[in-house]
Amino acid sequence: GQDTIRTTAILAAPMLGAALLVGLVVSVLQAITQINEATLTFIPKIIIIGIVVVIAGPWMLDVMSNFTIGLFENMATYVRE
């Protein structure tokens, strides 16, 4: 269970970090320009998350496949415990 949560956090971290940074930058720009539009952050976040998925996708698939392979290799141990 702990490995599952750790792997999920590792896989989600690049996308969440990028969305956090973009949201922070857009919020600062909104505060500076006094534009109070709630939907203004969605498009940049979607674009940045898409770019992060394209760039980090092979690494994310490698982490997920290694986790899945380890899960199936140790299935007998997990069932007995």
Side-chain angles (χ1 to χ4, degrees), residues 1-78:
Q2 291 176 351
D3 288 339
T4 304
I5 293 171
R6 186 180 306 114
T7 303
T8 304
I10 289 170
L11 291 174
M15 292 177 289
L16 292 175
L20 176 71
L21 287 175
V22 169
L24 183 65
V25 169
V26 171
S27 295
V28 168
L29 290 175
Q30 282 181 330
I32 291 171
T33 60
Q34 296 181 352
I35 298 173
N36 293 325
E37 181 63 33
T39 60
L40 188 61
T41 61
F42 292 136
I43 299 299
K45 281 183 185 180
I46 290 171
I47 292 169
I48 292 298
I49 289 175
I51 291 170
V52 168
V53 168
V54 167
I55 292 171
W59 170 77
M60 293 168 71
L61 286 174
D62 186 49
V63 169
M64 190 59 139
S65 65
N66 287 336
F67 173 75
T68 305
I69 289 168
L71 186 68
F72 280 115
E73 286 176 349
N74 297 318
M75 187 68 70
T77 305
Y78 297 145

